[in-house]
């Protein structure tokens, strides 16, 4: 029986997770506390918050596991920059400085800053941490496991076989050949922020045609055994972490798009960029499909677990579920680097003899809100508050009346999706709500879709293929069935990034959906993340009230309080 | 002294092509950093009243950061939204000195923005003038309330002045250390560049000779595509556990 803390950080998506006696107790991304989006620092605040939540002193921790081997990473950075001599001349001092200045000493810094004995702090491998998060949190006793991201120590893609409490490494593809870095390079080319704009590329893809396959065949070659190869002259990630793509890519695809220029998808120019996004999405899907088929062939398993940043591509996940030959597919809710913290903690716990954790039914692994503190602060801010006798009914009444409601209940979510604990809810049948949300509240590109949350037992009525093992965590898309008028959540290609809700995953949201069904006949709400543009999702009642006073939402429902301006 | 310097330098600074937009982005980042510090303060202060004040201030800083960013993009498109880090000032300085720090920043900002607003009014750039005028209203309010809170927390006007002097000294020390870091960083870059130029060719030749270009692209350890693993659960690689 043990207390194990897992940590990820020093690149992006820093996070901490705590596993006690084989049970996942709490998991927190640093950005939720620091309020810095994709916070890359060491997640010391998140780690302390995990321990405080579980009422455990730092001295009682049996092991702290970092999600990456810092020495192997240093070696990869040194060898990859030397191998491309002299292209990495500008990159070299910065890369070496970052590695030798702090990153390679991460284990010592963790011990010092957390107040844990150095001998208790260790590390695992990046992709193994991803694989552990994906497999051990899944409901499958055995499964094929694919981890696909930018790069770990030197691996970009890995195939594993998970059986009970064991993970066997079957094969890997090394940096600089990486689907994550391919997607990142094109994300930058299309004028979006890397590690942030990948969702936007996925949304944009539906507006274009995949008509540039010939050009993409020069950029990336897909092989029959599931492997792939990037044509490195088009890229710069092996020589320059800032840029990602080289001038050759612009010669091939045309000039890059200027960041933050308003989008006009009726123009030829932006139409071409949409076509590039569509082609990239198709190529990525086919590469992932080939990997998944290789995983099926190699393991003979009927279930697949996916993790790594590329596994957040919900459209590709849907194709894998349909076409790769697996009966079931699970994607970890924090499939990106944050999830590695939980995987590292689970691996540490298993090594100390704890059992495999129970399957993850809910992503609400963060810190709770304090309703009394929210009431006090709301009064101090001069806001109008009242206690509701029936929060579900009152929220449903507001949503059905066309209002936009911020919904803040219980412990916040693990991963990048708002799943009913820190969500903004609206009427999925009201296109005006979508417009208002996009323009006035979220201030995001008009082509980005919103997601529906639907009661699990009614999901198949509205969405083809739902529910499955991915829909509770909103990591797949499903076509909206004909005859249902859901313009605010139906993407231009007819799909929706569905979240299926039940009492185990998000009880308060399930209550709202039931109350909505009683009013509108539809147990569905538009569900988008409760955050401002460029900000992390809300964590505390302070953040929630700050959002209310700075954004034109109609109400904030926090615990049993209804707060308005 | 500082004000006089800003007055002299302002017309020159804003005339350099592209520099105005970069300067506005600098302000956007500063406002964003201030927002994060104030949110941390709101999370940590024991006083409900101060929590509300810090939160409202943080909301203002978010708005200012957005305004500066949008104007910078109008002048020169292509800037990403402002990203800032935190120095954990509330934890490092304690609440009283943190307030002294914020007050000094607001005061400096207000003085600077007054000069800039006048400068743009004189140049006939009403949009940028309006931007500074709009933000000045908030800066004056922030300067006032932080002063009041500082006196309240310090215990007297004299104690507040002492805190302001101490934080000024701390800022001077911080600037000195930053200058040292910048210098050290420059030397490090030079040394590393030299090292790369010396070691790079040898290492690159060695690595190309040792490691064929094709190696990294294919599955390592994976059986051929048509060679299916016969048994479910067969363990071909390492077992779970820590290295």
């Amino acid at each position: 029986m043990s207390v194990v803390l897992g940590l990820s950080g020093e690149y992006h998506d820093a996070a901490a997770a705590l596993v006690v006696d084989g049970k996942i107790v709490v998991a927190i991304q640093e950005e939720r506390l620091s309020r810095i989006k994709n916070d890359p620092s060491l997640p010391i605040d998140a780690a302390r918050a995990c321990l405080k939540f579980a009422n455990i002193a730092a001295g009682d921790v049996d092991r702290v596991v970092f999600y990456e081997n810092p020495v192997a990473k240093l070696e990869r950075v040194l060898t990859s920059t030397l191998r491309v001599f002299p292209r990495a001349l500008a990159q070299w001092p910065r890369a070496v400085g970052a590695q030798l200045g702090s990153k390679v000493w991460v284990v010592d810094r963790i011990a010092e800053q957390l107040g844990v004995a150095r001998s208790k702090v260790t590390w695992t491998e990046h992709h193994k941490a991803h694989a552990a998060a994906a497999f051990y949190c899944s409901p499958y006793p055995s499964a094929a496991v694919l981890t696909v991201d930018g790069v770990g120590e030197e691996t970009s893609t890995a195939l594993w076989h998970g059986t009970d409490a064991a993970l066997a490494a079957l094969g890997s593809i090394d940096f600089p050949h990486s689907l994550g870095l391919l997607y990142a390079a094109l994300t930058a080319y299309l004028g979006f922020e890397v590690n942030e704009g990948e969702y936007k590329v996925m949304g944009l893809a539906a507006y274009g045609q995949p008509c540039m396959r010939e050009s993409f065949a020069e950029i990336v070659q897909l092989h029959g055994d599931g492997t792939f190869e990037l044509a490195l002259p088009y890229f710069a990630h092996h020589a320059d972490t800032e840029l990602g793509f080289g001038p050759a890519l612009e010669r091939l695809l045309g000039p890059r798009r200027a960041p933050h220029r308003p989008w006009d998808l009726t123009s030829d120019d932006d139409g071409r960029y949409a076509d590039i996004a569509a082609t990239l999405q198709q190529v990525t899907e086919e590469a992932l499909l080939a990997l998944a088929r290789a995983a099926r062939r190699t393991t003979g398993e009927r279930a697949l677990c996916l993790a790594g940043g590329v596994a957040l591509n919900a459209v590709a996940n849907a194709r894998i579920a349909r076409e790769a030959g697996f009966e079931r597919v699970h994607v970890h809710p924090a499939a990106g680097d944050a999830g590695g913290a939980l995987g590292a903690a689970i691996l540490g716990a298993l090594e100390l003899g704890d059992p495999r954790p129970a399957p993850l039914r809910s992503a609400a692994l963060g810190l709770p809100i304090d309703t009394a503190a929210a009431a006090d602060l709301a009064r101090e801010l001069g806001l109008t508050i009242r206690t509701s006798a029936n929060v579900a009914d009152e929220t449903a009444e507001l949503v059905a009346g066309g209002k936009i409601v911020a919904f803040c209940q219980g412990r916040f979510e693990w991963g990048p999706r708002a799943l009913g604990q820190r969500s903004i809810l609206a009427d999925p049948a009201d296109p005006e709500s979508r417009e208002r949300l996009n323009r006035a509240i979220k201030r995001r590109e008009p082509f980005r879709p919103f997601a529906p949350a639907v009661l699990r037992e009614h999901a198949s009525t509205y969405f083809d293929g739902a529910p499955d093992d991915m829909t509770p965590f909103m990591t797949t898309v499903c076509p909206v069935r004909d005859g249902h008028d859901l313009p605010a959540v139906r993407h231009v290609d007819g799909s929706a990034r569905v979240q299926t809700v039940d009492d185990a995953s998000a009880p308060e949201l399930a209550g709202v959906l039931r109350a909505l069904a009683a009013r509108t006949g539809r147990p569905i709400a538009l569900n988008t993340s409760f955050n401002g543009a460029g900000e992390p999702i809300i964590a505390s009642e302070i953040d929630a009230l700050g959002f209310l006073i700075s954004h034109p939402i109609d109400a904030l429902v926090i615990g049993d309080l209804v707060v308005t301006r | 002294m500082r004000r006089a310097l800003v007055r002299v330098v302002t017309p020159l600074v804003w005339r350099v092509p592209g520099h105005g937009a970069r300067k506005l982005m600098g302000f956007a980042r500063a406002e964003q950093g201030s927002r994060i510090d104030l949110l941390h303060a709101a999370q940590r202060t024991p006083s409900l009243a101060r929590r509300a004040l810090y939160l409202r201030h943080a909301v203002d800083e978010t708005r200012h950061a957005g305004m500066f960013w949008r104007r910078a993009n109008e002048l020169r498109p292509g800037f990403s939204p402002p990203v800032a880090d935190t120095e954990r000032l509330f934890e490092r300085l304690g609440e009283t000195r943190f307030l002294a720090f914020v007050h000094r920043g607001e005061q400096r900002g207000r003085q600077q923005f007054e000069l800039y607003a006048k400068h743009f009014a004189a140049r006939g750039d009403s949009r940028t003038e309006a931007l500074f005028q709009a933000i000045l209203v908030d800066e004056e309010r922030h300067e006032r309330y932080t002063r009041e809170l500082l006196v309240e927390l310090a215990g007297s006007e004299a104690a507040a002045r002492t805190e302001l002097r101490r934080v000024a000294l701390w800022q001077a020390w911080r600037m000195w250390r930053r200058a040292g870091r910048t210098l050290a960083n420059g030397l490090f870059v030079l040394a590393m560049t030299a090292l790369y130029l010396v070691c790079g060719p040898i290492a690159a030749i060695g690595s190309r000779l040792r490691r064929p270009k094709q190696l990294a692209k294919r599955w390592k350890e994976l059986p051929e595509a048509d060679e299916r693993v016969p048994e479910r659960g067969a363990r071909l690689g390492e077992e779970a556990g820590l290295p």
Side-chain angles (χ1 to χ4, degrees):
Chain A
M1 303 305 240
S2 61
V3 176
V4 182
L5 195 57
L7 302 179
S8 67
E10 296 282 273
Y11 182 46
H12 59 93
D13 291 349
L18 186 69
V19 173
V20 179
D21 300 340
K23 188 179 170 212
I24 299 165
V25 174
V26 56
I28 299 170
Q29 283 174 258
E30 184 78 0
E31 66 166 23
R32 298 273 188 136
L33 307 181
S34 70
R35 310 310 299 155
I36 299 170
K37 185 84 171 162
N38 300 326
D39 193 336
S41 62
L42 256 191
I44 299 301
D45 280 350
R48 287 187 183 137
C50 284
L51 294 174
K52 188 176 172 195
F53 176 83
N55 202 21
I56 290 171
D60 295 332
V61 174
D62 295 302
R63 182 166 288 180
V64 183
V65 188
F66 189 62
Y67 82 134
E68 195 164 67
N69 176 345
V71 180
K73 186 162 184 176
L74 169 68
E75 187 188 341
R76 191 261 297 163
V77 169
L78 293 180
T79 53
S80 62
T81 44
L82 285 170
R83 196 173 293 142
V84 296
F85 180 87
R87 284 181 64 190
L89 179 62
Q91 171 72 12
W92 168 265
R94 198 165 52 239
V96 173
Q99 292 295 325
L100 294 181
S102 68
K103 293 185 178 182
V104 78
W105 315 110
V106 67
V107 169
D108 302 84
R109 287 166 54 220
I110 289 168
E112 184 192 335
Q113 291 184 40
L114 276 183
V116 176
R118 170 66 182 78
S119 58
K120 290 182 179 177
V121 186
T122 182
W123 46 261
T124 186
E125 288 157 14
H126 184 98
H127 276 260
K128 185 185 260 187
H130 274 316
F135 174 60
Y136 296 127
C137 294
S138 79
Y140 316 136
S142 66
V145 185
L146 261 179
T147 56
V148 191
D149 71 0
V151 58
E153 290 86 359
E154 64 168 349
T155 300
S156 75
T157 306
L159 171 57
W160 307 78
H161 194 173
T163 47
D164 302 324
L167 264 176
L170 301 183
S172 63
I173 298 172
D174 280 355
F175 178 89
H177 303 283
S178 161
L179 286 180
L181 294 176
L182 164 72
Y183 215 90
L186 270 295
T187 296
Y189 170 87
L190 291 168
F192 301 117
E193 263 81 37
V194 172
N195 292 327
E196 184 60 30
E198 283 80 356
Y199 303 127
K200 301 179 188 182
V201 176
M202 196 173 71
L204 176 64
Y207 287 85
Q209 293 299 320
C211 54
M212 305 185 75
R213 289 301 297 259
E214 274 182 34
S215 298
F216 270 73
E218 290 194 33
I219 300 170
V220 54
Q221 285 87 51
L222 309 181
H223 303 301
D225 63 352
T227 60
F228 54 85
E229 183 179 334
L230 301 187
L232 296 178
Y234 293 104
F235 296 89
H237 57 253
H238 48 305
D240 185 346
T241 53
E242 298 295 310
L243 189 59
F245 62 89
L249 191 76
E250 288 193 84
R251 285 195 292 274
L252 182 72
L253 298 178
R256 73 182 88 176
R257 192 178 192 281
H260 310 293
R261 203 183 74 201
W263 282 86
D264 175 12
L265 289 166
T266 58
S267 73
D268 287 347
D269 206 22
D270 281 348
R272 183 175 68 82
Y273 290 119
D275 289 344
I276 291 170
T279 313
L280 170 68
Q281 179 63 28
Q282 192 182 67
V283 168
T284 306
E285 288 170 20
E286 288 177 10
L288 286 169
L289 262 176
L291 286 166
R293 286 178 180 137
R296 169 96 179 107
R297 266 197 316 270
T298 308
T299 64
E301 290 288 351
R302 290 181 296 178
L304 174 69
C305 298
L306 285 166
V310 180
L312 289 168
N313 193 313
V315 179
N317 294 344
R319 271 195 79 184
I320 289 171
R322 279 197 312 270
E323 300 176 32
F326 287 99
E327 290 171 17
R328 297 176 73 178
V329 179
H330 167 83
V331 179
H332 188 71
D337 277 4
L342 182 53
I346 294 170
L347 286 169
L350 288 171
E351 200 195 51
L352 291 174
D354 280 336
R356 177 182 165 169
L360 201 61
R361 301 283 179 213
S362 168
L365 297 174
L367 300 178
I369 45 148
D370 183 337
T371 308
D376 290 343
L377 184 57
R379 275 190 212 99
E380 189 68 32
L381 289 164
L383 299 167
T384 307
I385 61 168
R386 62 196 160 76
T387 305
S388 171
N390 190 331
V391 167
D393 264 354
E394 199 148 338
T395 307
E397 183 72 37
L398 288 165
V399 171
K403 305 291 187 199
I404 293 174
V405 181
F407 193 65
C408 192
Q409 302 289 332
R411 300 171 63 184
F412 59 72
E413 302 89 344
W414 172 236
R417 302 277 180 249
L419 298 171
Q421 284 78 26
R422 302 290 184 274
S423 289
I424 294 175
L425 306 178
D427 182 357
D430 179 11
E432 275 183 32
S433 295
R434 176 190 169 131
E435 283 302 298
R436 207 173 127 210
L437 263 171
N438 251 342
R439 287 182 197 282
I441 297 169
K442 305 287 281 189
R443 291 180 195 148
R444 52 189 220 172
E445 296 78 3
F447 55 78
R448 291 181 65 188
F450 286 108
V454 59
L455 269 183
R456 183 179 174 85
E457 58 265 34
H458 297 288
S460 60
T461 308
Y462 298 91
F463 304 102
D464 192 15
D468 64 19
D469 293 337
M470 292 185 280
T471 53
F473 304 118
M474 216 189 255
T475 49
T476 188
V477 298
C478 301
V480 179
R481 287 192 190 278
D482 290 340
H484 295 292
D485 188 26
L486 301 168
V489 294
R490 184 205 290 258
H491 199 28
V492 68
D493 61 0
S495 72
R497 188 155 43 83
V498 182
Q499 178 202 359
T500 53
V501 182
D502 60 23
D503 287 327
S505 61
E508 296 88 357
L509 180 58
V512 172
L513 296 177
R514 280 190 206 99
L516 266 174
R519 279 169 178 75
T520 65
R522 278 187 311 263
I524 308 176
L526 178 157
N527 173 13
T528 186
S529 55
F530 185 7
N531 61 336
E535 292 174 13
I537 301 177
I538 297 302
S540 70
E541 62 282 350
I542 299 172
D543 309 329
L545 289 164
F547 185 92
L548 175 67
I549 60 178
S550 55
H551 293 83
I553 51 171
D554 297 307
L556 164 66
V557 177
I558 182 165
D560 61 355
L561 298 175
V562 180
V563 190
T564 49
R565 272 187 299 272
Chain B
M1 171 75 176
R2 186 189 174 95
R3 209 169 173 194
L5 189 66
V6 171
R7 201 188 297 273
V8 173
V9 169
T10 296
L12 306 171
V13 163
W14 291 101
R15 269 190 205 136
V16 179
H19 188 74
R22 281 202 300 276
K23 198 160 174 60
L24 290 174
M25 271 314 291
F27 291 142
R29 278 189 284 272
E31 298 279 353
Q32 188 72 358
S34 174
R35 163 194 163 258
I36 292 165
D37 280 327
L38 285 158
L39 283 175
H40 289 184
Q43 286 161 0
R44 286 162 176 83
T45 180
S47 156
L48 181 63
R50 292 200 293 274
R51 180 170 303 134
L53 287 166
Y54 296 151
L55 185 58
R56 282 214 181 270
H57 191 163
V59 166
D60 288 343
E61 304 294 63
T62 311
R63 197 174 67 253
H64 297 167
M67 288 161 79
F68 280 127
W69 173 59
R70 280 190 290 279
R71 184 66 185 135
N73 265 310
E74 282 171 10
L75 295 173
R76 192 180 172 199
F79 289 107
S80 298
V83 177
D85 206 347
T86 174
E87 291 182 81
R88 296 178 169 271
L89 292 174
F90 191 90
E91 289 153 287
R92 286 170 65 187
L93 300 176
E95 187 162 9
T96 309
R97 205 158 294 169
F98 170 76
L99 265 170
F101 177 89
V102 175
H103 176 72
R104 274 179 57 83
E106 296 295 331
Q107 191 177 43
R108 198 169 52 241
R110 193 255 307 154
Q111 290 168 350
Q112 230 176 331
F113 293 174
E114 278 173 354
L115 288 173
Y116 293 158
K118 278 183 196 156
H119 170 79
F120 285 108
R123 272 179 58 179
D125 181 349
S126 56
R127 274 187 65 79
T128 313
E129 185 211 349
L131 167 75
F132 281 111
Q133 291 291 7
I135 291 172
L136 262 172
V137 176
D138 292 333
E139 299 291 299
E140 281 162 9
R141 195 176 66 252
H142 297 157
E143 189 184 347
R144 206 166 42 243
Y145 101 84
T146 50
R147 177 79 193 196
E148 286 165 11
L149 279 188
L150 177 61
V151 172
E152 185 187 312
L153 276 182
S156 68
E157 187 66 43
R161 279 197 297 275
T162 305
E163 288 299 336
L164 285 167
R165 277 196 298 275
R166 283 183 179 155
V167 91
L169 275 175
W170 179 82
Q171 283 180 289
W173 172 236
R174 185 176 68 152
M175 197 182 286
W176 173 253
R177 290 180 59 181
R178 277 182 180 173
R181 269 202 301 274
T182 305
L183 181 65
N185 188 50
L187 292 172
F188 178 81
V189 168
L190 278 177
M192 284 299 112
T193 304
L195 183 69
Y196 187 74
L197 291 171
V198 171
C199 299
I202 305 160
I205 292 164
S207 101
R208 277 168 195 157
L209 287 176
R210 271 202 322 277
R211 190 167 185 174
K213 223 175 146 189
Q214 298 297 318
L215 187 67
K217 300 167 192 169
R218 312 306 293 232
W219 286 116
K220 291 201 310 194
E221 303 169 31
L222 189 67
E224 288 303 310
D226 54 353
E227 260 185 62
R228 183 175 152 162
V229 173
E231 290 175 47
R232 286 179 70 202
R235 294 170 188 181
L236 301 179
E238 59 190 305
E239 292 301 308
L242 298 172

